[in-house]
C-alpha cells in the first residue's frame, strides 16, 4: 500500500468508511460539483478509476525502484526514507498552500494540532517508512507489498473491537485466507523451514501494523486541516527526526546520474504523484472501491520485480499472493 501517504485504504466498517470520506476528500473541491449531472458523475467515476489504478501502480513501481537503489547503489533504507521525506514534504506543503492556504496557516498556529501531527509523524509516517523499506531490503518489493496488505485484517480487528461486534462471515473467510497466504509466502508450503529471512518476515508484518496505524490515527487531524497540510507537516517532522540520527549529508552514497534519476522518480512519482492520484481517485470512486482498485500496487510490484530485477517466485508464493489479494476484496 501507499507506503508513505496518510490515506485510509482499508476501511472495513461503516464507521471507518465514513471517516475515509475525509481521507479521500480533495482539497478545495466543493462536494456539490460531483452531483450536478448524471453524465458528469459517470465521467468522474471513470477518471477516479484511472487515477486510483495509476496511483496504486506507481506505489508498486516505487517499491521496485527502492529495491534497485538499495541493492544496486548501496543506499541504506533509513537514508532513503529520510531523503524522500525531507524532499516530498515540500511538495505536499506547496500543494496545501495552493489549494487550502487557510488550513495550512491554521494548523501552523495551533499548538495542540502541531503536537498531534508530531505524533502522526512518529507513529504513522516514520514507522511505515522504515518498516516498508526494511521489508523491501530484506525481501523484495512484491513480498513487502503483499505482507503490507495484511493491514486490512488488523483494521478489521480494530473495527470489531471498537464496535463490540463479531467478525462477519466474509471477514472470517478473509482472515483465514490472510493466514494461509502468509503461511505460503513465509514457508513456501513447507512448515519445517522458513523461506523468508526472519528479518524480512518481521519487517513485513511490522509494515502491515504501520499501514493499519496510517489508516486510523490521522483521521481527525485530516478532517480538520486537510490531507496535504497534515501529510506535509508530518513528513517534515518525521524527516527531521530521522535526519538527527541518519545525518544524510554525512553519509551520501555514490550515485551516478541514473541513480539520481531513480531517486527523483521515487520522490516525484512514487511518493507525491502516487499519493495525489490515489487521493483524488478515492475521493471520486469511494474508499471501498478504491481499496480494491489499489490491488494494482502489489500486482505492479510483483510484475516489476520479475521484469526489472529478475525475481523468481515459486507457485506457493504466487498462490499466497493471490490469497492475500482476495482477502482484501472480502474484507474491504
Amino acid at each position: 500500500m501507499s507506503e508513505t501517504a496518510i490515506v485510509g485504504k482499508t476501511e472495513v466498517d461503516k464507521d471507518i468508511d465514513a471517516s475515509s470520506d475525509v481521507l479521500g476528500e480533495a482539497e478545495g473541491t466543493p462536494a456539490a460539483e460531483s452531483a450536478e449531472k448524471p453524465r458528469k458523475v459517470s465521467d468522474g467515476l471513470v477518471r477516479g478509476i484511472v487515477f486510483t489504478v495509476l496511483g496504486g501502480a506507481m506505489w508498486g513501481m516505487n517499491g521496485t525502484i527502492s529495491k534497485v537503489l538499495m541493492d544496486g547503489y548501496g543506499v541504506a533504507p533509513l537514508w532513503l526514507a529520510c531523503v524522500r521525506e525531507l524532499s516530498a514534504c515540500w511538495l505536499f506543503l506547496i500543494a496545501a498552500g495552493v489549494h487550502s492556504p487557510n488550513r495550512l496557516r491554521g494548523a501552523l498556529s495551533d499548538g495542540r494540532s502541531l503536537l498531534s501531527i508530531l505524533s502522526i509523524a512518529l507513529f504513522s509516517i516514520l514507522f511505515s517508512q522504515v518498516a516498508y523499506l526494511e521489508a523491501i531490503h530484506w525481501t523484495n518489493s512484491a513480498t513487502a507489498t503483499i505482507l503490507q496488505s495484511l493491514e486490512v485484517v488488523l483494521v478489521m480487528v480494530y473495527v470489531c473491537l471498537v464496535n463490540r461486534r463479531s467478525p462477519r462471515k466474509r471477514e472470517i473467510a478473509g482472515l483465514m485466507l490472510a493466514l494461509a497466504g502468509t503461511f505460503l509466502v513465509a514457508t513456501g508450503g513447507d512448515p519445517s523451514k522458513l523461506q523468508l529471512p526472519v528479518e524480512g518476515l518481521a519487517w513485513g508484518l511490522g509494515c502491515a501494523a504501520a499501514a493499519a496505524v496510517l489508516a486510523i490515527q490521522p483521521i481527525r487531524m485530516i478532517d480538520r486541516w486537510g490531507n496535504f497540510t497534515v501529510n506535509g507537516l508530518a513528513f517534515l517532522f518525521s524527516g527531521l527526526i530521522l535526519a538527527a540520527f541518519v545525518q544524510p549529508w554525512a553519509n551520501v552514497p555514490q550515485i551516478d546520474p541514473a541513480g539520481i534519476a531513480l531517486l527523483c522518480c521515487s520522490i516525484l512519482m512514487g511518493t507525491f504523484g502516487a499519493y495525489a492520484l490515489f487521493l483524488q481517485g478515492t475521493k471520486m470512486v469511494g474508499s471501498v472501491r478504491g481499496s480494491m482498485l489499489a490491488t494494482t500496487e502489489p500486482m505492479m510490484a510483483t510484475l516489476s520485480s520479475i521484469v526489472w530485477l529478475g525475481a523468481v517466485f515459486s507457485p506457493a508464493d504466487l498462490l499466497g499472493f493471490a490469497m492475500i489479494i482476495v482477502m482484501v476484496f472480502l474484507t474491504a
Side-chain angles (χ1 to χ4, degrees):
M1 142 153 82
S2 135
E3 68 189 275
T4 57
I6 298 173
V7 60
K9 299 195 303 180
T10 57
E11 297 83 359
V12 292
D13 195 273
K14 290 182 180 179
D15 293 335
I16 299 296
D17 192 56
S19 300
S20 73
D21 290 338
V22 173
L23 296 174
E25 177 187 358
E27 306 283 344
T29 301
E33 290 182 4
S34 63
E36 290 181 357
K37 297 179 181 179
R39 185 174 180 275
K40 288 189 175 181
V41 172
S42 178
D43 291 344
L45 179 60
V46 172
R47 289 197 303 272
I49 290 172
V50 172
F51 290 163
T52 307
V53 168
L54 285 177
M58 285 183 179
W59 268 324
M61 180 63 74
N62 195 34
T64 302
I65 290 174
S66 300
K67 183 67 172 177
V68 173
L69 288 170
M70 288 186 284
D71 288 0
Y73 293 93
V75 176
L78 292 181
W79 187 92
L80 181 57
C82 183
V83 170
R84 284 203 317 206
E85 289 180 11
L86 288 178
S87 301
C89 70
W90 302 112
L91 298 176
F92 288 118
L93 290 173
I94 289 171
V98 171
H99 291 284
S100 53
N102 291 334
R103 283 183 163 188
L104 178 58
R105 286 193 294 267
L108 289 172
S109 62
D110 189 311
R112 289 187 177 181
S113 292
L114 288 176
L115 287 176
S116 295
I117 294 174
L118 176 60
S119 175
I120 291 169
L122 287 170
F123 298 106
S124 291
I125 297 295
L126 183 60
F127 185 20
S128 65
Q129 277 277 318
V130 172
Y132 185 74
L133 290 174
E134 287 287 356
I136 292 175
H137 173 69
W138 287 102
T139 59
N140 54 68
S141 61
T143 302
T145 306
I146 288 293
L147 291 175
Q148 179 182 259
S149 299
L150 295 171
E151 63 170 302
V152 178
V153 174
L154 299 179
V155 175
M156 179 193 74
V157 172
Y158 170 81
V159 169
C160 289
L161 290 174
V162 168
N163 294 332
R164 297 180 180 180
R165 68 165 177 83
S166 300
R168 303 184 180 101
K169 290 182 179 179
R170 62 184 177 85
E171 292 171 345
I172 295 175
L175 176 60
M176 299 304 295
L177 280 173
L179 293 174
T182 305
F183 169 77
L184 288 175
V185 171
T187 67
D190 185 352
S192 65
K193 65 179 182 181
L194 190 64
Q195 183 168 292
L196 294 179
V198 174
E199 297 89 346
L201 180 59
W203 280 115
L205 296 177
C207 190
V213 174
L214 272 170
I216 297 168
Q217 185 191 20
I219 289 175
R220 290 184 179 178
M221 283 295 99
I222 289 178
D223 186 17
R224 185 174 183 184
W225 302 118
N227 288 288
F228 289 131
T229 293
V230 175
N231 271 285
L233 293 175
F235 270 60
L236 177 60
F237 294 159
S238 178
L240 291 174
I241 293 169
L242 265 180
F245 296 95
V246 176
Q247 298 183 347
W249 58 86
N251 302 287
V252 180
Q254 297 296 319
I255 305 179
D256 60 20
I260 294 174
L262 287 174
L263 181 59
C264 292
C265 186
S266 177
I267 295 167
L268 294 172
M269 181 196 75
T271 304
F272 178 76
Y275 165 82
L277 283 171
F278 185 85
L279 170 67
Q280 180 63 19
T282 302
K283 184 262 178 184
M284 291 177 167
V285 304
S287 60
V288 174
R289 186 182 281 117
S291 68
M292 295 177 180
L293 292 171
T295 53
T296 53
E297 180 184 356
M299 292 177 185
M300 178 57 76
T302 302
L303 289 175
S304 59
S305 293
I306 293 172
V307 174
W308 195 349
L309 302 178
V312 178
F313 300 101
S314 69
D317 290 331
L318 297 177
L319 180 58
F321 289 178
M323 285 181 172
I324 293 175
I325 290 174
V326 172
M327 174 272 300
V328 173
F329 282 80
L330 285 175
T331 55

